[in-house]
Amino acid sequence: MTANQWKSKGKLIDIFNRKIFVIDEGISDKTLVILHGYPTSSYDYYKVLPELAKHYRVIIHDHVGFGFSDKPFNYSYSLIEQADIALQLWQQLQLKNVTLLAHDYGTSVATEIVNRYNRNQLNINIEELILCNGSMHIELAKLRFIQKLLKSKTVGKWVGKLTNQFIFDRNIRKIYFDSSKISQQELDEIWAQINYNDGKKVIHLLSNYINERYFFWHRWIGALKNTQIPTKIVWTTHDPIAVKAIAEQLHKEIPNNELKWLENTGHFPMLENPDEWTKLVLS
């Protein structure tokens, strides 16, 4: 599927004076809301959406700064604000009961939402939490060299400007278990979405989320330790960034959880191994 075909499936919704791209598909009474990862977009789910939509009404939006959503330069790009946007979107869509699925960057947006949920600050009921390959335990993550550069306050902007598609393609292929599972066309479509709305100009600002994972560690890991939401941890065995140790640590500390492993798969399981990943999510 091309990026333009994906764009034609969704719509722009105004949230806090920002245009947010939203996919809303499926007619089930049950609702699945998805928070995507970095530096990609809701497009990560194009292979699994048809099957998920047989079981749920599926709502995926592009965070501010990603995909087809607005990419303002004068914006904090804090994970706190990304949580505000997600919650406001769900409120405008009048959602009451949801399963919340998050991957990568989205897992930290999810933990901020769980923190507020634990304090009875939300008017939405989270029936289940599904966490996939995210570096919430940032102290255990194996960050790529380019991630370390981009999050730097001094050199991040210049690294963002100099990053080209060759560098991007190489870095994405390295975080697959089987790099032959991602086609050049997919890489082209993902790169086009990063560049959409002058997105390369803000990519270093997006990368500050890594610093926030340290700063808000106690708030967000504390939220997981205290939550009563039934949680499913769906993790791959060969993610070079969000390594197995993170899943094992989450399994130890989240009160009511089950851990499901996806073998021989890297950081983007919904793209690399979509059928098996979907089975685990739905199981």
Short mmCIF file of all heavy atoms in Angstrom, two decimals, residues 37-82:
data_model
loop_
_atom_site.label_atom_id
_atom_site.label_comp_id
_atom_site.label_asym_id
_atom_site.label_seq_id
_atom_site.Cartn_x
_atom_site.Cartn_y
_atom_site.Cartn_z
N GLY A 37 4.81 4.30 16.82
CA GLY A 37 6.18 4.54 17.24
C GLY A 37 6.91 5.64 16.48
O GLY A 37 6.33 6.35 15.66
N TYR A 38 8.19 5.75 16.77
CA TYR A 38 9.10 6.78 16.23
C TYR A 38 10.07 6.12 15.25
O TYR A 38 10.56 5.02 15.53
CB TYR A 38 9.87 7.41 17.40
CG TYR A 38 11.04 8.28 17.00
CD1 TYR A 38 10.92 9.66 16.96
CD2 TYR A 38 12.28 7.72 16.67
CE1 TYR A 38 12.00 10.46 16.60
CE2 TYR A 38 13.35 8.52 16.31
CZ TYR A 38 13.20 9.88 16.28
OH TYR A 38 14.27 10.67 15.91
N PRO A 39 10.41 6.76 14.15
CA PRO A 39 9.96 8.07 13.65
C PRO A 39 8.88 7.89 12.58
O PRO A 39 8.81 8.66 11.64
CB PRO A 39 11.24 8.63 13.03
CG PRO A 39 11.90 7.41 12.40
CD PRO A 39 11.52 6.23 13.30
N THR A 40 8.09 6.86 12.72
CA THR A 40 7.18 6.43 11.65
C THR A 40 5.79 7.03 11.84
O THR A 40 5.67 8.21 12.14
CB THR A 40 7.20 4.90 11.56
OG1 THR A 40 7.01 4.34 12.86
CG2 THR A 40 8.51 4.40 10.99
N SER A 41 4.75 6.24 11.67
CA SER A 41 3.39 6.79 11.71
C SER A 41 2.39 5.66 11.82
O SER A 41 2.76 4.49 11.95
CB SER A 41 3.11 7.59 10.42
OG SER A 41 3.02 6.69 9.32
N SER A 42 1.12 6.01 11.70
CA SER A 42 0.05 5.01 11.71
C SER A 42 0.22 4.00 10.57
O SER A 42 -0.30 2.88 10.65
CB SER A 42 -1.30 5.70 11.60
OG SER A 42 -1.37 6.51 10.43
N TYR A 43 0.95 4.38 9.53
CA TYR A 43 1.20 3.51 8.38
C TYR A 43 1.84 2.18 8.78
O TYR A 43 1.71 1.18 8.08
CB TYR A 43 2.09 4.26 7.39
CG TYR A 43 2.44 3.52 6.12
CD1 TYR A 43 1.52 3.40 5.08
CD2 TYR A 43 3.72 2.98 5.94
CE1 TYR A 43 1.86 2.74 3.89
CE2 TYR A 43 4.07 2.32 4.77
CZ TYR A 43 3.13 2.20 3.75
OH TYR A 43 3.47 1.54 2.58
N ASP A 44 2.51 2.15 9.95
CA ASP A 44 3.09 0.91 10.46
C ASP A 44 2.06 -0.22 10.51
O ASP A 44 2.44 -1.40 10.51
CB ASP A 44 3.64 1.10 11.88
CG ASP A 44 4.85 2.01 11.94
OD1 ASP A 44 5.43 2.32 10.89
OD2 ASP A 44 5.21 2.41 13.08
N TYR A 45 0.78 0.13 10.57
CA TYR A 45 -0.28 -0.85 10.81
C TYR A 45 -1.06 -1.21 9.55
O TYR A 45 -2.09 -1.86 9.63
CB TYR A 45 -1.22 -0.33 11.91
CG TYR A 45 -0.48 -0.23 13.22
CD1 TYR A 45 0.24 0.92 13.55
CD2 TYR A 45 -0.43 -1.30 14.11
CE1 TYR A 45 0.98 1.00 14.71
CE2 TYR A 45 0.31 -1.23 15.28
CZ TYR A 45 1.01 -0.08 15.57
OH TYR A 45 1.75 -0.02 16.72
N TYR A 46 -0.53 -0.83 8.38
CA TYR A 46 -1.32 -1.06 7.17
C TYR A 46 -1.51 -2.55 6.87
O TYR A 46 -2.53 -2.96 6.32
CB TYR A 46 -0.71 -0.31 5.96
CG TYR A 46 0.40 -1.02 5.23
CD1 TYR A 46 0.11 -1.87 4.15
CD2 TYR A 46 1.74 -0.84 5.58
CE1 TYR A 46 1.13 -2.51 3.46
CE2 TYR A 46 2.75 -1.48 4.89
CZ TYR A 46 2.44 -2.32 3.83
OH TYR A 46 3.46 -2.96 3.16
N LYS A 47 -0.55 -3.39 7.27
CA LYS A 47 -0.67 -4.83 7.00
C LYS A 47 -1.63 -5.52 7.97
O LYS A 47 -2.23 -6.54 7.62
CB LYS A 47 0.70 -5.50 7.11
CG LYS A 47 1.68 -5.15 6.00
CD LYS A 47 3.00 -5.89 6.21
CE LYS A 47 4.00 -5.56 5.11
NZ LYS A 47 5.30 -6.21 5.36
N VAL A 48 -1.75 -5.00 9.18
CA VAL A 48 -2.54 -5.69 10.22
C VAL A 48 -3.93 -5.10 10.41
O VAL A 48 -4.79 -5.72 11.04
CB VAL A 48 -1.78 -5.70 11.57
CG1 VAL A 48 -0.45 -6.44 11.43
CG2 VAL A 48 -1.53 -4.29 12.09
N LEU A 49 -4.17 -3.91 9.87
CA LEU A 49 -5.47 -3.25 10.08
C LEU A 49 -6.65 -4.10 9.60
O LEU A 49 -7.65 -4.20 10.32
CB LEU A 49 -5.48 -1.87 9.42
CG LEU A 49 -6.78 -1.08 9.57
CD1 LEU A 49 -7.12 -0.82 11.03
CD2 LEU A 49 -6.71 0.24 8.79
N PRO A 50 -6.59 -4.74 8.41
CA PRO A 50 -7.76 -5.50 7.97
C PRO A 50 -8.19 -6.59 8.97
O PRO A 50 -9.38 -6.75 9.24
CB PRO A 50 -7.29 -6.12 6.64
CG PRO A 50 -6.25 -5.17 6.13
CD PRO A 50 -5.54 -4.68 7.37
N GLU A 51 -7.21 -7.30 9.54
CA GLU A 51 -7.55 -8.36 10.50
C GLU A 51 -8.00 -7.77 11.84
O GLU A 51 -8.98 -8.23 12.43
CB GLU A 51 -6.36 -9.29 10.70
CG GLU A 51 -6.65 -10.52 11.57
CD GLU A 51 -7.74 -11.43 11.00
OE1 GLU A 51 -7.90 -11.50 9.76
OE2 GLU A 51 -8.43 -12.07 11.82
N LEU A 52 -7.31 -6.74 12.32
CA LEU A 52 -7.71 -6.11 13.58
C LEU A 52 -9.13 -5.55 13.48
O LEU A 52 -9.91 -5.62 14.44
CB LEU A 52 -6.74 -4.99 13.95
CG LEU A 52 -5.31 -5.40 14.32
CD1 LEU A 52 -4.46 -4.16 14.56
CD2 LEU A 52 -5.28 -6.30 15.56
N ALA A 53 -9.47 -5.00 12.30
CA ALA A 53 -10.79 -4.36 12.13
C ALA A 53 -11.93 -5.38 12.05
O ALA A 53 -13.09 -4.99 12.11
CB ALA A 53 -10.77 -3.48 10.88
N LYS A 54 -11.59 -6.67 11.94
CA LYS A 54 -12.64 -7.70 12.02
C LYS A 54 -13.09 -7.91 13.47
O LYS A 54 -14.17 -8.45 13.72
CB LYS A 54 -12.11 -9.03 11.47
CG LYS A 54 -11.86 -9.05 9.98
CD LYS A 54 -11.27 -10.39 9.56
CE LYS A 54 -10.86 -10.40 8.09
NZ LYS A 54 -10.16 -11.66 7.74
N HIS A 55 -12.24 -7.50 14.40
CA HIS A 55 -12.49 -7.76 15.82
C HIS A 55 -12.77 -6.50 16.63
O HIS A 55 -13.34 -6.57 17.71
CB HIS A 55 -11.29 -8.50 16.43
CG HIS A 55 -10.95 -9.78 15.74
ND1 HIS A 55 -11.46 -11.00 16.14
CD2 HIS A 55 -10.17 -10.03 14.65
CE1 HIS A 55 -10.99 -11.95 15.34
NE2 HIS A 55 -10.21 -11.38 14.43
N TYR A 56 -12.33 -5.37 16.13
CA TYR A 56 -12.44 -4.09 16.84
C TYR A 56 -12.83 -2.97 15.88
O TYR A 56 -12.56 -3.07 14.68
CB TYR A 56 -11.09 -3.68 17.44
CG TYR A 56 -10.56 -4.48 18.59
CD1 TYR A 56 -9.61 -5.49 18.37
CD2 TYR A 56 -10.96 -4.22 19.90
CE1 TYR A 56 -9.08 -6.21 19.44
CE2 TYR A 56 -10.44 -4.94 20.97
CZ TYR A 56 -9.50 -5.93 20.74
OH TYR A 56 -8.97 -6.64 21.79
N ARG A 57 -13.39 -1.91 16.43
CA ARG A 57 -13.29 -0.62 15.77
C ARG A 57 -11.89 -0.11 16.09
O ARG A 57 -11.53 0.03 17.27
CB ARG A 57 -14.34 0.35 16.32
CG ARG A 57 -14.22 1.76 15.77
CD ARG A 57 -15.15 2.71 16.49
NE ARG A 57 -15.01 4.08 16.00
CZ ARG A 57 -15.58 5.14 16.56
NH1 ARG A 57 -16.37 4.98 17.63
NH2 ARG A 57 -15.39 6.36 16.06
N VAL A 58 -11.07 0.10 15.06
CA VAL A 58 -9.66 0.44 15.26
C VAL A 58 -9.45 1.93 14.96
O VAL A 58 -9.82 2.41 13.89
CB VAL A 58 -8.75 -0.39 14.33
CG1 VAL A 58 -7.28 -0.05 14.59
CG2 VAL A 58 -9.00 -1.88 14.54
N ILE A 59 -8.86 2.63 15.92
CA ILE A 59 -8.57 4.06 15.75
C ILE A 59 -7.07 4.26 15.96
O ILE A 59 -6.52 3.94 17.02
CB ILE A 59 -9.38 4.90 16.75
CG1 ILE A 59 -10.87 4.77 16.42
CG2 ILE A 59 -8.95 6.37 16.70
CD1 ILE A 59 -11.79 5.24 17.50
N ILE A 60 -6.41 4.75 14.89
CA ILE A 60 -4.98 5.05 14.94
C ILE A 60 -4.80 6.47 14.43
O ILE A 60 -5.33 6.81 13.38
CB ILE A 60 -4.13 4.15 14.01
CG1 ILE A 60 -4.67 2.73 13.92
CG2 ILE A 60 -2.67 4.15 14.44
CD1 ILE A 60 -3.98 1.91 12.84
N HIS A 61 -4.07 7.26 15.16
CA HIS A 61 -3.77 8.61 14.67
C HIS A 61 -2.26 8.81 14.58
O HIS A 61 -1.50 8.11 15.25
CB HIS A 61 -4.40 9.68 15.57
CG HIS A 61 -3.75 9.82 16.91
ND1 HIS A 61 -4.00 8.94 17.96
CD2 HIS A 61 -2.84 10.72 17.39
CE1 HIS A 61 -3.28 9.31 19.02
NE2 HIS A 61 -2.57 10.38 18.70
N ASP A 62 -1.86 9.75 13.72
CA ASP A 62 -0.46 10.17 13.68
C ASP A 62 -0.25 11.22 14.77
O ASP A 62 -0.96 12.24 14.80
CB ASP A 62 -0.12 10.79 12.31
CG ASP A 62 -0.10 9.77 11.18
OD1 ASP A 62 -0.05 8.56 11.46
OD2 ASP A 62 -0.14 10.20 10.01
N HIS A 63 0.71 10.97 15.66
CA HIS A 63 1.05 11.99 16.66
C HIS A 63 1.42 13.30 15.96
O HIS A 63 1.86 13.29 14.80
CB HIS A 63 2.25 11.56 17.51
CG HIS A 63 2.12 10.21 18.14
ND1 HIS A 63 1.16 9.91 19.08
CD2 HIS A 63 2.84 9.07 17.99
CE1 HIS A 63 1.30 8.65 19.47
NE2 HIS A 63 2.31 8.12 18.82
N VAL A 64 1.29 14.41 16.66
CA VAL A 64 1.78 15.68 16.12
C VAL A 64 3.27 15.51 15.77
O VAL A 64 4.04 14.95 16.56
CB VAL A 64 1.64 16.82 17.16
CG1 VAL A 64 2.14 18.14 16.58
CG2 VAL A 64 0.20 16.98 17.58
N GLY A 65 3.64 15.97 14.58
CA GLY A 65 5.03 15.86 14.14
C GLY A 65 5.32 14.62 13.32
O GLY A 65 6.43 14.45 12.83
N PHE A 66 4.32 13.75 13.16
CA PHE A 66 4.52 12.47 12.47
C PHE A 66 3.52 12.31 11.33
O PHE A 66 2.41 12.84 11.38
CB PHE A 66 4.31 11.30 13.45
CG PHE A 66 5.31 11.21 14.58
CD1 PHE A 66 5.19 12.03 15.70
CD2 PHE A 66 6.35 10.30 14.54
CE1 PHE A 66 6.08 11.93 16.75
CE2 PHE A 66 7.25 10.19 15.58
CZ PHE A 66 7.12 11.02 16.70
N GLY A 67 3.92 11.53 10.32
CA GLY A 67 2.99 11.13 9.27
C GLY A 67 2.31 12.31 8.59
O GLY A 67 2.96 13.25 8.14
N PHE A 68 0.98 12.26 8.56
CA PHE A 68 0.19 13.28 7.87
C PHE A 68 -0.40 14.32 8.84
O PHE A 68 -1.19 15.15 8.42
CB PHE A 68 -0.93 12.62 7.06
CG PHE A 68 -0.42 11.74 5.95
CD1 PHE A 68 -0.70 10.39 5.93
CD2 PHE A 68 0.34 12.27 4.92
CE1 PHE A 68 -0.24 9.57 4.91
CE2 PHE A 68 0.82 11.47 3.89
CZ PHE A 68 0.53 10.12 3.90
N SER A 69 -0.03 14.27 10.10
CA SER A 69 -0.47 15.29 11.06
C SER A 69 0.37 16.55 10.93
O SER A 69 1.43 16.54 10.29
CB SER A 69 -0.41 14.75 12.49
OG SER A 69 -1.40 13.76 12.71
N ASP A 70 -0.09 17.63 11.55
CA ASP A 70 0.68 18.88 11.55
C ASP A 70 2.05 18.68 12.17
O ASP A 70 2.22 17.87 13.10
CB ASP A 70 -0.08 19.96 12.33
CG ASP A 70 -1.17 20.64 11.50
OD1 ASP A 70 -1.30 20.30 10.30
OD2 ASP A 70 -1.89 21.49 12.05
N LYS A 71 3.02 19.47 11.67
CA LYS A 71 4.39 19.41 12.17
C LYS A 71 4.90 20.81 12.45
O LYS A 71 5.82 21.31 11.79
CB LYS A 71 5.28 18.69 11.13
CG LYS A 71 4.84 17.24 10.90
CD LYS A 71 5.55 16.56 9.77
CE LYS A 71 5.07 15.12 9.63
NZ LYS A 71 5.64 14.43 8.46
N PRO A 72 4.31 21.48 13.46
CA PRO A 72 4.70 22.86 13.75
C PRO A 72 6.13 22.94 14.28
O PRO A 72 6.61 22.03 14.96
CB PRO A 72 3.70 23.28 14.82
CG PRO A 72 3.27 22.00 15.47
CD PRO A 72 3.28 20.97 14.39
N PHE A 73 6.80 24.03 13.97
CA PHE A 73 8.16 24.20 14.46
C PHE A 73 8.16 24.74 15.89
O PHE A 73 9.04 24.43 16.68
CB PHE A 73 8.95 25.14 13.53
CG PHE A 73 10.43 25.02 13.72
CD1 PHE A 73 11.12 23.90 13.26
CD2 PHE A 73 11.16 26.00 14.37
CE1 PHE A 73 12.49 23.77 13.44
CE2 PHE A 73 12.53 25.89 14.56
CZ PHE A 73 13.19 24.77 14.09
N ASN A 74 7.14 25.56 16.22
CA ASN A 74 7.07 26.18 17.55
C ASN A 74 6.21 25.32 18.47
O ASN A 74 5.10 25.69 18.86
CB ASN A 74 6.48 27.59 17.44
CG ASN A 74 5.11 27.60 16.76
OD1 ASN A 74 4.78 26.66 16.04
ND2 ASN A 74 4.33 28.63 17.00
N TYR A 75 6.73 24.16 18.83
CA TYR A 75 5.93 23.19 19.60
C TYR A 75 6.88 22.41 20.49
O TYR A 75 8.04 22.18 20.12
CB TYR A 75 5.19 22.27 18.62
CG TYR A 75 4.10 21.43 19.25
CD1 TYR A 75 2.89 21.99 19.63
CD2 TYR A 75 4.28 20.06 19.44
CE1 TYR A 75 1.88 21.21 20.19
CE2 TYR A 75 3.28 19.28 20.00
CZ TYR A 75 2.09 19.87 20.36
OH TYR A 75 1.08 19.09 20.92
N SER A 76 6.39 21.97 21.63
CA SER A 76 7.28 21.29 22.58
C SER A 76 7.60 19.85 22.17
O SER A 76 8.67 19.34 22.47
CB SER A 76 6.63 21.25 23.97
OG SER A 76 5.60 20.27 24.00
N TYR A 77 6.64 19.19 21.51
CA TYR A 77 6.75 17.76 21.20
C TYR A 77 7.00 16.92 22.45
O TYR A 77 7.66 15.88 22.40
CB TYR A 77 7.81 17.49 20.11
CG TYR A 77 7.37 18.03 18.77
CD1 TYR A 77 7.90 19.20 18.25
CD2 TYR A 77 6.35 17.40 18.06
CE1 TYR A 77 7.45 19.71 17.04
CE2 TYR A 77 5.90 17.92 16.85
CZ TYR A 77 6.45 19.07 16.35
OH TYR A 77 6.00 19.57 15.16
N SER A 78 6.45 17.36 23.56
CA SER A 78 6.53 16.57 24.78
C SER A 78 5.56 15.39 24.69
O SER A 78 4.46 15.50 24.14
CB SER A 78 6.16 17.44 25.99
OG SER A 78 5.98 16.63 27.13
N LEU A 79 5.97 14.28 25.27
CA LEU A 79 5.08 13.12 25.36
C LEU A 79 3.83 13.45 26.18
O LEU A 79 2.77 12.86 25.97
CB LEU A 79 5.84 11.93 25.96
CG LEU A 79 6.96 11.38 25.08
CD1 LEU A 79 7.95 10.58 25.90
CD2 LEU A 79 6.40 10.52 23.95
N ILE A 80 3.96 14.40 27.10
CA ILE A 80 2.80 14.85 27.88
C ILE A 80 1.75 15.45 26.95
O ILE A 80 0.55 15.16 27.05
CB ILE A 80 3.24 15.90 28.93
CG1 ILE A 80 4.33 15.34 29.86
CG2 ILE A 80 2.04 16.42 29.71
CD1 ILE A 80 3.89 14.47 30.97
N GLU A 81 2.21 16.30 26.01
CA GLU A 81 1.28 16.92 25.07
C GLU A 81 0.73 15.89 24.07
O GLU A 81 -0.42 16.00 23.64
CB GLU A 81 1.94 18.09 24.34
CG GLU A 81 2.14 19.30 25.23
CD GLU A 81 2.25 20.59 24.43
OE1 GLU A 81 1.22 21.08 23.95
OE2 GLU A 81 3.39 21.08 24.28
N GLN A 82 1.54 14.91 23.71
CA GLN A 82 1.03 13.86 22.82
C GLN A 82 -0.10 13.09 23.52
O GLN A 82 -1.10 12.70 22.88
CB GLN A 82 2.15 12.90 22.41
CG GLN A 82 3.30 13.55 21.64
CD GLN A 82 2.99 13.93 20.20
OE1 GLN A 82 1.84 14.07 19.81
NE2 GLN A 82 4.04 14.10 19.39
#
